[in-house]
Amino acid sequence: MYGIPVPRYALVNREVPYQELDYFIEEEDYVEVHGNRFWKPFVEKPVDGDNHSILIYYPSSAGGGMKELFRKVGNRSSEFHPEVRRVRREGSYIYEEFMPTGGTDVKVYTVGPEYAHAEARKSPVVDGVVMRNPDGKEVRYPVLLTPNEKQMARVVCIAFRQAVCGFDLLRSEGRSYVCDVNGWSFVKNSHKYYDDAACVLRKMFLDAKAPHLSSAIPPTLPWKVNEPVQPSEGLTRQGSGIIGTFGQSEELRCVIVVIRHGDRTPKQKVKLKVTEEKLLNLMLKYNGGRPRSETKLKSAVQLQDLLDATRMLVPRSRPGRGSDSEAEDLEHAEKLRQVKAVLEEGGHFSGIYRKVQLKPLKWVKVPKSNGEGEEEWPVEALMVLKYGGVLTHAGRKQAEELGRYFRNNMYPGEGTGLLRLHSTYRHDLKIYSSDEGRVQMSAAAFAKGLLDLEGQLTPILVSLVSKDSSMLDGLDNASSEMEEAKARLNEIITSGAKTIYRNGTSECPWMTDGAGLPTNASELLPNLVTLTKKVTEQVRLLAKDEDENLTETSPYDVIPAYDQAKALGKTNIDIDRIAAGLPCGSEGFLLMYARWRKLERDLYNERKVRFDITQIPDVYDSCKYDLLHNAHLNLEGLDGLFKVAQLLADGVIPNEYGINPKQKLKIGSKIARRLLGKILIDLRNTREEALNVAELKSNQDKCSKSTKIEKEDKDFPPKLFIKTDDTRRSSTTSEMSMDQDDDDDKETKYRLDPKYANVKTPERHVRTRLYFTSESHIHSLMNVLRYCNLDESLQGEASLVCQTALERLYKTKELDYMSYIVIRMFENTEVALEDPRRFRIELTFSRGADLSPLEMNDSKATSLHQEHTLPIMGPERLQEVGSYLTLEKMEKMIRPFAMPAEDFPPPSTPAGFSGYFAKSASVLERLVNLWPFHKNAHTNGK
């Protein structure tokens, strides 16, 4: 007998409340039971089946907190508590691995081992709002079960000896798991289910008591015999193309969007060499005592240890230095004060936004403590503190508003169309993010707006957003080429040349080496330095008083518990801080001064008389941030500095990713290679799925001409299990495909059951893939799209981007916060299946929040002053109106720069899951043994 795949679990059994157990350990981000570690997020549910208080604990990297699931009360089924971080200890609990399901749960109902009905509903773990129909019933839609899921239903029914039985399925990472068996349970609102159940039960009774009658009675109800067959509704619907409408027969099939994160605080870094024993001992404490190994400090406990040590060291000079190095001592003390201020910022710790590296630099030989020989001991280390880059309240608002815009404008149906598609399992949505906190939170806020969700971002992030740093992070693959581009860029700027050598023509100015740079760039650099010093001095005076107050902080103060609202970006502006004349957000004047002081030092080295042009984007970012969020501080000369920095940044930023189009193409293809490969996989899988549906529909239309008896025979079996291997192999292609791993992106496909759904167009299906990333990947993807035809293998091919759009992109300069690139694929259902014109690609982009805070008109300026938020620009065409780009042409132009499908790594089992899904009788036996305590419990999918 097959076992039942279940989530990994462990039982903590207390005989009395708050009993201390030697086998149970709780740390900040995990619990350990009998040596089995459960990392957050994990599920905690009472052993008592009558206690329906199920808790989900979230990791600090996602914001922390806890969500409580409970039986529906009004329109609520869960509540999020951001301040709760410790598990319950007053009773006995089962701990389970949390399984992300894309925001949907599946309820399965059996009537005997040969029949199962399945319905999908919105998961309570997302925002806890229950979707109800006009009659007040929870909205559910019947879905098709895969062959493996049908077998699981059969095993559950037999194992628990419960003919009429309900259980919950979690579909996670392409696999399905039973998380709860409810016992006697049935569908609440489905006439078809009750008709089928009547037939199944009648046959069970007759098989038991009158087998001679069982085979003689038709398998359908008497009043269903002559019921007319409803004609299926066509798939035609006018496409909502931005570059034109191509007939009533076009259907939107796929939406792929690559999006930059929202508005953030400036990214910061502090580097200092440390010789203090307290800091060196701290490094050894967290690197396992290895004198030559570096360590990373990210958790709250680690950062509190570092803060305690730093507080003790700030008033003191570095040991072992003479009076001739007083300036160096002062600089070191200043950096230590900055480290202390960063760790104390906001009154909370966040692993996402603050991390410290300690790397040993020098060692000496010292006698071992036992006197036997010598051992190495570090005497100097490099400390690198990275902080900032936090999604602001404005960034969160931008992402949420953009999600709402997509819901209302990117899909047919004027807003309600997407929500209905999503709720009925006809919208295949997956959201990917890089590993950076601001990117993850932008993705969660966008999802909140897109799907009309409520509540905090942490549950949405954990439930709906998948991290893929290998696809959406990093510049390592193109680091040497980017260094080469920056060197050439520095040469062009500092040469003082009034004209720049052009590889192109006046009609194509973007073919220039260093296109977009102001011709007087070398003259602007000294002006940039002077204005930066002016702003820095003003902030220094503001920080002076704050610095004196900070030195009075007690060295024994402990940072309070992690504040999720502060860490993830507040929803609204802190009006009290602004009214008090303080900087916006949690940045104090001391850190604001450290930010500007570092920019001033890095921009121009007075001793070497050398400019560092790579600092220009950082100066521009700081100017824009302070104009947007700290205008109330009235920093004199900040607007003038912004104008100069913008002129230079508009030329520097695009050229960092390649000094000319061919280099841009080379760098872009290296950075975005994996992303390009995944996009091609998305488009290809959508095409194959659409063609399979079209072929299946064609076959069904042919079958509709058969006799009524044949129709009746086929109406019932799809919900029955077929026991023999031969007949199981003859199941429909679409049904079998749901249980097979895709060879490339390993995405299992689940579909609405058209026979049961009260949906006019059950065949309509849209695939959406959202990729949230940083500036580098947006520039890289855009450069490949517009310059791919320059590759030797594609010479003679026209660009994917039209001439008008190329000119517009040249003038755009910056792809700002929330900039995005959209690839939409439409299917023309009137064109032959093998015709390349059956699938059309539409390319659009947005510059994002590409408006200067100085260029707002009166009405927008008022909004800007109140909300600190710049509007996001609408989409612009990359193709001429009426042009027709086929999927075949798109694949041909992109394939040379994309990672081949066969190079994508095989699917990985979720962390901590390995080895716990064996289909063995022992797993089933343990599950059945828990039955008296567990029969009514729920979990993630409650």
Side-chain angles (χ1 to χ4, degrees):
M1 175 185 289
Y2 285 100
I4 304 173
V6 297
R8 183 166 70 100
Y9 67 91
L11 174 65
V12 174
N13 193 18
R14 292 185 177 88
E15 296 179 359
V16 295
Y18 304 102
Q19 179 185 3
E20 291 297 325
L21 303 170
D22 56 5
Y23 62 81
F24 180 75
I25 301 171
E26 180 181 12
E27 295 293 345
E28 180 185 13
D29 272 328
Y30 68 85
V31 294
E32 192 170 293
V33 184
H34 292 296
N36 292 320
R37 188 167 293 183
F38 292 80
W39 289 93
K40 293 179 181 179
F42 57 71
V43 182
E44 175 191 73
K45 54 188 181 182
V47 169
D48 181 3
D50 293 324
N51 185 342
H52 299 280
S53 178
I54 316 298
L55 306 187
I56 300 171
Y57 296 89
Y58 296 100
S60 58
S61 62
M66 173 272 288
K67 171 156 280 195
E68 180 181 12
L69 313 185
F70 44 77
R71 285 194 174 275
K72 292 184 282 289
V73 178
N75 72 331
R76 302 293 307 179
S77 59
S78 68
E79 290 291 342
F80 181 65
H81 303 277
E83 73 286 352
V84 178
R85 305 177 63 81
R86 310 292 289 181
V87 302
R88 292 174 290 188
R89 295 173 181 267
E90 62 268 26
S92 298
Y93 299 96
I94 295 172
Y95 290 91
E96 285 185 1
E97 207 87 50
F98 176 85
M99 295 182 148
T101 62
T104 307
D105 293 342
V106 177
K107 300 282 189 179
V108 182
Y109 302 89
T110 69
V111 183
E114 312 302 330
Y115 177 90
H117 171 90
E119 293 184 344
R121 64 155 190 182
K122 177 183 173 184
S123 172
V125 307
V126 181
D127 66 353
V129 178
V130 180
M131 295 176 61
R132 297 189 182 276
N133 61 24
D135 297 327
K137 303 284 188 180
E138 183 179 27
V139 174
R140 295 183 180 183
Y141 285 93
V143 293
L144 292 169
L145 291 173
T146 69
N148 273 356
E149 289 171 340
K150 291 179 178 181
Q151 180 63 19
M152 289 160 60
R154 188 174 193 274
V155 172
V156 167
C157 187
I158 294 172
F160 288 91
R161 298 183 290 278
Q162 185 91 35
V164 178
C165 181
F167 66 92
D168 295 348
L169 271 181
L170 299 178
R171 288 171 164 177
S172 179
E173 306 289 343
R175 302 168 186 258
S176 298
Y177 309 97
V178 176
C179 66
D180 179 25
V181 178
N182 299 308
W184 179 269
S185 186
F186 41 84
V187 181
K188 296 175 176 61
N189 188 24
S190 171
H191 295 295
K192 188 71 167 62
Y193 165 80
Y194 285 105
D195 289 344
D196 288 350
C199 294
V200 173
L201 291 172
R202 178 180 63 183
K203 190 173 189 312
M204 290 172 61
F205 297 154
L206 289 175
D207 285 346
K209 297 300 182 182
H212 61 288
L213 295 177
S214 179
S215 59
I217 297 178
T220 55
L221 298 174
W223 56 86
K224 293 284 183 179
V225 173
N226 297 315
E227 189 174 82
V229 177
Q230 297 294 325
S232 62
E233 182 180 335
L235 286 177
T236 59
R237 180 174 188 158
Q238 181 176 345
S240 56
I242 292 178
I243 68 165
T245 299
F246 292 82
Q248 296 290 325
S249 58
E250 268 209 341
E251 188 77 22
L252 178 65
R253 290 292 179 228
C254 185
V255 178
I256 299 172
V257 194
V258 181
I259 312 175
R260 188 183 175 188
H261 58 76
D263 179 70
R264 60 162 172 79
T265 63
K267 291 187 291 183
Q268 298 291 297
K269 182 188 295 185
V270 182
K271 286 186 178 181
L272 66 158
K273 292 180 180 179
V274 296
T275 57
E276 291 83 354
E277 187 177 357
K278 287 182 181 294
L279 298 177
L280 297 175
N281 287 340
L282 189 65
M283 178 181 68
L284 293 171
K285 175 181 177 181
Y286 288 112
N287 73 2
R290 299 187 296 272
R292 289 181 178 262
S293 297
E294 68 175 81
T295 187
K296 294 181 180 180
L297 310 180
K298 295 173 68 175
S299 73
V301 173
Q302 293 170 334
L303 294 177
Q304 182 68 55
D305 276 355
L306 178 60
L307 176 58
D308 292 341
T310 307
R311 282 171 169 166
M312 299 295 292
L313 295 170
V314 163
R316 305 176 184 180
S317 299
R318 276 202 294 181
R321 297 287 182 180
S323 58
D324 57 339
S325 58
E326 288 183 4
E328 193 173 340
D329 289 341
L330 288 173
E331 181 180 346
H332 182 74
E334 180 184 326
K335 287 186 175 180
L336 279 177
R337 280 199 297 274
Q338 186 178 347
V339 170
K340 173 174 170 285
V342 170
L343 294 175
E344 292 175 335
E345 180 186 4
H348 62 85
F349 286 120
S350 167
I352 291 182
Y353 301 125
R354 255 176 301 197
K355 45 192 171 185
V356 178
Q357 291 174 281
L358 284 166
K359 184 177 181 179
L361 296 178
K362 295 180 181 178
W363 309 262
V364 295
K365 295 283 188 179
V366 296
K368 288 185 177 180
S369 57
N370 58 9
E372 298 179 1
E374 293 182 329
E375 62 181 355
E376 286 187 328
W377 195 261
V379 293
E380 185 178 73
L382 176 67
M383 178 191 290
V384 181
L385 167 62
K386 296 180 180 179
Y387 66 101
V390 181
L391 189 71
T392 66
H393 53 81
R396 173 173 174 164
K397 181 179 179 182
Q398 287 172 333
E400 200 170 325
E401 288 183 349
L402 186 60
R404 280 193 290 269
Y405 173 83
F406 267 66
R407 186 211 317 159
N408 293 322
N409 296 279
M410 285 292 170
Y411 300 85
E414 299 178 352
T416 59
L418 171 65
L419 296 180
R420 183 162 172 78
L421 278 173
H422 193 75
S423 67
T424 57
Y425 247 77
R426 294 178 296 161
H427 181 220
D428 178 9
L429 170 68
K430 285 186 171 60
I431 305 173
Y432 298 92
S433 163
S434 72
D435 199 38
E436 295 175 324
R438 57 184 170 275
V439 181
Q440 294 177 49
M441 291 306 155
S442 296
F446 183 96
K448 182 178 180 180
L450 181 72
L451 300 177
D452 197 24
L453 302 174
E454 297 181 9
Q456 305 248 19
L457 296 185
T458 293
I460 298 173
L461 171 65
V462 172
S463 300
L464 297 180
V465 180
S466 301
K467 286 192 292 186
D468 194 326
S469 59
S470 61
M471 180 168 62
L472 300 168
D473 265 331
L475 304 173
D476 294 344
N477 293 336
S479 56
S480 60
E481 288 84 358
M482 290 188 69
E483 288 302 318
E484 181 184 331
K486 290 175 182 178
R488 173 66 178 134
L489 188 60
N490 184 71
E491 179 186 332
I492 293 172
I493 292 177
T494 57
S495 66
K498 296 293 183 182
T499 58
I500 301 173
Y501 172 76
R502 292 179 179 274
N503 293 319
T505 65
S506 58
E507 290 79 19
C508 301
W510 50 88
M511 300 300 289
T512 303
D513 274 17
L517 284 170
T519 55
N520 63 337
S522 61
E523 299 170 6
L524 292 174
L525 282 175
N527 194 18
L528 185 72
V529 172
T530 301
L531 290 170
T532 300
K533 287 183 175 181
K534 182 177 181 180
V535 171
T536 303
E537 176 59 21
Q538 293 176 73
V539 180
R540 184 188 71 81
L541 295 174
L542 291 170
K544 187 177 179 181
D545 293 338
E546 182 179 271
D547 189 19
E548 292 173 356
N549 293 332
L550 283 172
T551 57
E552 299 173 3
T553 305
S554 168
Y556 303 104
D557 287 351
V558 176
I559 291 295
Y562 179 87
D563 188 327
Q564 188 262 359
K566 291 178 181 176
L568 304 187
K570 297 181 180 179
T571 306
N572 301 308
I573 300 172
D574 194 332
I575 299 174
D576 292 338
R577 282 183 61 87
I578 294 173
L582 298 172
C584 182
S586 58
E587 183 183 52
F589 282 122
L590 184 63
L591 289 182
M592 188 177 178
Y593 170 62
R595 166 162 59 91
W596 280 102
R597 176 63 175 148
K598 185 175 187 300
L599 287 172
E600 178 190 318
R601 287 179 174 178
D602 293 347
L603 181 62
Y604 180 67
N605 188 316
E606 294 183 351
R607 186 170 58 86
K608 296 182 179 180
V609 193
R610 187 173 64 193
F611 296 98
D612 184 355
I613 64 164
T614 63
Q615 297 300 314
I616 291 173
D618 292 336
V619 175
Y620 171 69
D621 280 348
S622 268
C623 285
K624 191 169 185 178
Y625 176 81
D626 285 332
L627 279 174
L628 189 62
H629 297 283
N630 290 323
H632 60 286
L633 299 180
N634 299 313
L635 296 175
E636 185 181 347
L638 183 62
D639 53 351
L641 174 60
F642 174 78
K643 291 176 182 177
V644 175
Q646 185 178 36
L647 280 172
L648 289 166
D650 282 349
V652 168
I653 293 174
N655 283 290
E656 285 184 326
Y657 302 99
I659 205 69
N660 54 50
K662 285 196 173 182
Q663 193 178 50
K664 282 178 166 66
L665 178 60
K666 184 178 181 180
I667 291 175
S669 62
K670 287 195 170 187
I671 293 176
R673 181 171 180 263
R674 183 181 290 265
L675 176 59
L676 287 163
K678 183 61 168 60
I679 289 172
L680 289 184
I681 288 174
D682 294 336
L683 293 171
R684 191 202 66 189
N685 285 347
T686 305
R687 176 188 60 202
E688 296 305 314
E689 183 180 353
L691 291 177
N692 286 340
V693 170
E695 290 173 356
L696 181 62
K697 185 174 182 298
S698 176
N699 293 336
Q700 289 174 343
D701 290 342
K702 292 177 183 177
C703 292
S704 67
K705 299 176 182 178
S706 303
T707 63
K708 290 184 178 180
I709 295 176
E710 289 175 326
K711 294 176 189 174
E712 291 161 0
D713 290 343
K714 292 177 182 177
D715 186 53
F716 185 62
K719 282 291 175 180
L720 289 175
F721 293 153
I722 303 170
K723 297 181 181 179
T724 67
D725 291 338
D726 292 339
T727 51
R728 185 175 292 119
R729 281 195 294 269
S730 67
S731 299
T732 63
T733 302
S734 63
E735 187 173 285
M736 290 298 293
S737 68
M738 284 178 258
D739 200 53
Q740 298 169 344
D741 282 342
D742 186 274
D743 289 338
D744 300 309
D745 63 355
K746 312 296 178 186
E747 293 174 350
T748 303
K749 301 163 187 66
Y750 303 110
R751 300 300 294 267
L752 183 75
D753 187 342
K755 290 184 174 63
Y756 282 59
N758 182 25
V759 174
K760 292 181 180 180
T761 54
E763 301 94 340
R764 177 173 293 131
H765 194 251
V766 177
R767 178 190 299 257
T768 297
R769 294 293 181 267
L770 306 174
Y771 299 99
F772 285 83
T773 184
S774 54
E775 179 184 54
S776 61
H777 281 65
I778 288 284
H779 275 282
S780 298
L781 177 60
M782 181 62 81
N783 285 338
V784 172
L785 289 177
R786 61 175 166 171
Y787 297 133
C788 56
N789 63 312
L790 299 181
D791 188 73
E792 291 182 1
S793 65
L794 297 170
Q795 282 188 357
E797 295 285 349
S799 173
L800 290 175
V801 177
C802 68
Q803 183 75 10
T804 305
L806 287 172
E807 294 172 0
R808 195 182 310 118
L809 285 168
Y810 170 67
K811 296 175 182 177
T812 293
K813 312 295 184 187
E814 184 179 14
L815 296 173
D816 213 319
Y817 299 131
M818 300 310 302
S819 55
Y820 57 85
I821 299 169
V822 181
I823 303 171
R824 296 203 298 175
M825 186 168 82
F826 295 86
E827 180 185 12
N828 189 333
T829 56
E830 290 185 353
V831 175
L833 295 180
E834 64 277 5
D835 191 327
R837 293 176 66 84
R838 186 174 178 98
F839 295 99
R840 177 177 69 85
I841 298 295
E842 177 187 276
L843 301 174
T844 56
F845 85 104
S846 166
R847 294 174 284 147
D850 182 31
L851 279 177
S852 166
L854 302 178
E855 296 174 359
M856 309 293 286
N857 59 35
D858 292 340
S859 60
K860 290 185 177 180
T862 302
S863 173
L864 171 65
H865 180 72
Q866 294 174 346
E867 301 178 2
H868 296 188
T869 306
L870 292 172
I872 300 169
M873 308 303 290
E876 301 178 60
R877 298 186 298 270
L878 289 175
Q879 303 153 272
E880 295 289 0
V881 175
S883 64
Y884 205 100
L885 173 62
T886 65
L887 173 59
E888 184 178 78
K889 173 69 180 292
M890 177 80 172
E891 287 180 317
K892 177 182 178 180
M893 301 297 288
I894 296 301
R895 192 178 292 115
F897 315 102
M899 176 181 282
E902 58 269 20
D903 288 355
F904 274 76
S908 58
T909 303
F913 290 2
S914 178
Y916 290 90
F917 300 133
K919 295 179 177 179
S920 62
S922 60
V923 174
L924 178 61
E925 182 180 352
R926 290 200 302 272
L927 184 65
V928 175
N929 289 340
L930 284 173
W931 172 245
F933 310 100
H934 186 51
K935 60 184 178 181
N936 293 316
H938 297 267
T939 185
N940 325 37
K942 170 175 168 283

